[in-house]
Amino acid sequence: MPKYIESETLELKEKYTDVICKEIVSFLNATGGTIVIGVKDDGTVVGVDKIDKTFKKISEIITTQIEPNPQDEVSSELRFEDGKTLIVVNVSKGIQHIYCQKKYGFSSVGCTIRVGTTCREMTSEQIRIRYENKFVDSEYMLKKRATMSDLSFKELKIYYSEKGYHLDDSNFEANLNLKNQNGEYNLLAELLADRNNIPLIFVKFKGSDKATISERSDYGYRCIITSYEKIKNRLQAENICISDTTVRPRHDTYLFDYDCVNEAILNALVHNDWTITEPQISMFDNRLEILSHGGLPSGMTKKQFFDGISKPRNTTLMRIFLNMGLTEHTGHGIPIIVKKYGEEVFEIEDNYIRCTIPFDDAVLDKIKNANVGLNVGLNVGLNKTEKKVVSLLIEDSAYTSEELAAKIGLTKRTIERTFISLQNKKVIERIGSKRDGRWIVIK
């Protein structure tokens, strides 16, 4: 009977191959194990010839190819059998909740786990659960005291309820780490509160520079998730589409790739250094700029950034965005933007990151020739009152029918009928209860 037999904790390799990186990740994500190089699958000892070169490759895997770095969990040693030299890689169970191959990120391909004698790709659900648990809630947002002491979280509770989370009111603030060690509301709590002192400004400029402002809208001073929804709705409204009806099916071309812009906005919100100031979103005649403060998170390289390696600056905020289904755990956002527009759209400095999304030339030509504004997409198929209601809801989704009636100069009943019409046209939808909820523009 051979001395070496593969098992759930033992992997045999006749010689070194790059797949060993995958094997190490699999053991880290399971209960640990041992990789013996220089032994065939049937247990025959053949030995390793290029020992120094193999050791160097294994060291490179451990130090550069796995995220998080597993140096404390992986060790290598020589073993001598039948006059031959073997290399043994001992892998302990990872002290972090999840590990991946850096080049694949936190995806099913990158996150494998040892099952029996094979490496299996983890499911999306397994990755999601482990990824959320890996966050260590020690970042500055949890320690920095909020500028306001009287905070409420009705909107945040509605969001969690809509996602099927049932959080006990008595433990809500503690479960989400909304207070610091002194029992005071922290910066994270302020960002998530119904009302706060944090702006989030969207500015439109005339031309291609900042010489002349044509419009300035502030979507902040409220729960950051609501602010994000408002910004998202605004950008959907700005994203003009031109259609070529001479072909079947018709071909639609948009001013910008909305998915890329959405990813850039989410990255700016989640990775921004909020101790400096809020992110800035600027729209010019030919481009959209999204600027976040703080540069790359500590320890992250530009290569890791462009490869989609996820290393959030604000880990607890990221976890909440994950819970809301607003962000993914695969780190695919930046690669999506790079694939569409190239790495050159990112300007990365020590204290900020700017993402510049250029507008489509064909759509710009159409706008110029047709002499239309950038809000045309929002107004199609709506009457005058509906357009006004939608415009105001984009500014503040918490407007009641009474408040809208007073602003527009119509009766409450007319506004309520307008709500029903916009619902039927699938332009708005109700979030939360009649009493505590609000209307959200969805297209």
Side-chain angles (χ1 to χ4, degrees), residues 84-322:
K84 296 181 175 62
T85 303
L86 308 180
I87 293 178
V88 180
V89 182
N90 298 303
V91 184
S92 301
K93 178 181 179 180
I95 60 174
Q96 301 294 334
H97 290 283
I98 189 168
Y99 293 81
C100 72
Q101 296 181 71
K102 279 187 178 181
K103 63 180 178 180
Y104 299 119
F106 290 100
S107 64
S108 291
V109 177
C111 300
T112 53
I113 188 169
R114 186 78 171 185
V115 179
T117 60
T118 61
C119 299
R120 299 288 181 84
E121 293 183 358
M122 297 175 71
T123 66
S124 297
E125 182 67 9
Q126 285 176 309
I127 296 172
R128 182 186 68 80
I129 293 172
R130 288 192 179 215
Y131 191 81
E132 290 178 10
N133 289 337
K134 91 180 187 68
F135 294 128
V136 178
D137 298 328
S138 61
E139 73 267 24
Y140 73 91
M141 296 190 76
L142 306 182
K143 300 175 182 178
K144 182 177 173 60
R145 187 174 62 183
T147 61
M148 300 172 63
S149 59
D150 184 19
L151 300 178
S152 63
F153 305 95
K154 289 182 180 179
E155 291 187 9
L156 184 61
K157 290 177 181 178
I158 290 173
Y159 285 121
Y160 267 93
S161 177
E162 289 168 349
K163 292 298 179 180
Y165 292 94
H166 302 288
L167 300 179
D168 189 336
D169 280 347
S170 62
N171 298 322
F172 184 83
E173 294 178 358
N175 288 339
L176 296 183
N177 296 303
L178 301 183
K179 290 187 176 180
N180 61 24
Q181 292 180 343
N182 298 322
E184 304 163 318
Y185 283 121
N186 53 32
L187 178 55
L188 176 67
E190 189 165 8
L191 274 173
L192 295 167
D194 299 323
R195 291 290 181 266
N196 56 46
N197 290 324
I198 303 172
L200 187 59
I201 299 170
F202 174 86
V203 182
K204 289 181 69 174
F205 295 93
K206 288 183 178 180
S208 59
D209 57 34
K210 294 185 176 182
T212 306
I213 295 177
S214 65
E215 183 182 348
R216 183 183 185 277
S217 302
D218 195 336
Y219 297 102
Y221 301 106
R222 52 179 56 83
C223 177
I224 190 175
I225 299 174
T226 303
S227 296
Y228 160 70
E229 287 186 342
K230 290 177 178 295
I231 289 289
K232 181 177 69 172
N233 294 337
R234 177 59 184 269
L235 291 171
Q236 285 177 326
E238 299 284 1
N239 198 14
I240 294 174
C241 173
I242 60 173
S243 300
D244 182 356
T245 57
T246 63
V247 297
R248 291 292 183 271
R250 75 180 191 184
H251 178 69
D252 294 332
T253 304
Y254 287 89
L255 186 64
F256 52 81
D257 187 294
Y258 178 76
D259 288 339
C260 290
V261 169
N262 185 49
E263 292 293 343
I265 296 292
L266 285 169
N267 273 281
L269 294 176
V270 171
H271 301 293
N272 184 66
D273 186 343
W274 291 90
T275 61
I276 300 175
T277 189
E278 72 282 353
Q280 299 165 12
I281 304 168
S282 305
M283 189 171 188
F284 301 85
D285 284 356
N286 61 347
R287 70 191 187 280
L288 190 67
E289 291 184 359
I290 301 102
L291 181 126
S292 62
H293 300 276
L296 294 176
S298 177
M300 173 173 275
T301 66
K302 288 185 179 181
K303 183 179 185 305
Q304 291 172 336
F305 175 82
F306 288 123
D307 286 345
I309 303 301
S310 183
K311 190 174 184 179
R313 171 178 280 108
N314 308 310
T315 55
T316 311
L317 181 61
M318 168 67 95
R319 187 186 67 193
I320 291 171
F321 271 63
L322 281 167

Side-chain angles (χ1 to χ4, degrees), residues 226-438:
T226 303
S227 296
Y228 160 70
E229 287 186 342
K230 290 177 178 295
I231 289 289
K232 181 177 69 172
N233 294 337
R234 177 59 184 269
L235 291 171
Q236 285 177 326
E238 299 284 1
N239 198 14
I240 294 174
C241 173
I242 60 173
S243 300
D244 182 356
T245 57
T246 63
V247 297
R248 291 292 183 271
R250 75 180 191 184
H251 178 69
D252 294 332
T253 304
Y254 287 89
L255 186 64
F256 52 81
D257 187 294
Y258 178 76
D259 288 339
C260 290
V261 169
N262 185 49
E263 292 293 343
I265 296 292
L266 285 169
N267 273 281
L269 294 176
V270 171
H271 301 293
N272 184 66
D273 186 343
W274 291 90
T275 61
I276 300 175
T277 189
E278 72 282 353
Q280 299 165 12
I281 304 168
S282 305
M283 189 171 188
F284 301 85
D285 284 356
N286 61 347
R287 70 191 187 280
L288 190 67
E289 291 184 359
I290 301 102
L291 181 126
S292 62
H293 300 276
L296 294 176
S298 177
M300 173 173 275
T301 66
K302 288 185 179 181
K303 183 179 185 305
Q304 291 172 336
F305 175 82
F306 288 123
D307 286 345
I309 303 301
S310 183
K311 190 174 184 179
R313 171 178 280 108
N314 308 310
T315 55
T316 311
L317 181 61
M318 168 67 95
R319 187 186 67 193
I320 291 171
F321 271 63
L322 281 167
N323 289 340
M324 296 299 100
L326 299 177
T327 59
E328 296 288 343
H329 44 71
T330 57
H332 75 297
I334 300 302
I336 283 178
I337 299 172
V338 170
K339 183 176 180 180
K340 176 68 177 180
Y341 293 107
E343 293 184 1
E344 59 270 20
V345 301
F346 288 97
E347 179 185 353
I348 302 175
E349 299 294 340
D350 291 340
N351 59 342
Y352 71 85
I353 298 175
R354 186 189 346 256
C355 178
T356 301
I357 303 295
F359 292 157
D360 187 275
D361 289 336
V363 178
L364 289 176
D365 288 342
K366 188 74 172 180
I367 293 170
K368 182 178 180 180
N369 294 333
N371 193 28
V372 299
L374 290 182
N375 288 311
V376 66
L378 179 66
N379 296 323
V380 175
L382 304 184
N383 62 39
K384 183 178 180 180
T385 300
E386 290 170 339
K387 292 176 184 178
K388 186 63 177 175
V389 167
V390 169
S391 177
L392 288 171
L393 287 177
I394 288 177
E395 292 179 9
D396 190 342
S397 62
Y399 275 134
T400 64
S401 54
E402 291 91 342
E403 290 170 334
L404 288 173
K407 276 187 167 290
I408 300 175
L410 298 172
T411 65
K412 175 184 175 183
R413 180 61 181 160
T414 299
I415 298 300
E416 289 174 343
R417 286 199 297 265
T418 302
F419 282 157
I420 294 173
S421 174
L422 290 171
Q423 269 188 299
N424 292 336
K425 293 178 180 179
K426 299 188 183 304
V427 175
I428 64 174
E429 66 178 21
R430 186 70 177 177
I431 302 296
S433 67
K434 184 176 181 180
R435 176 184 173 187
D436 296 323
R438 64 206 180 283

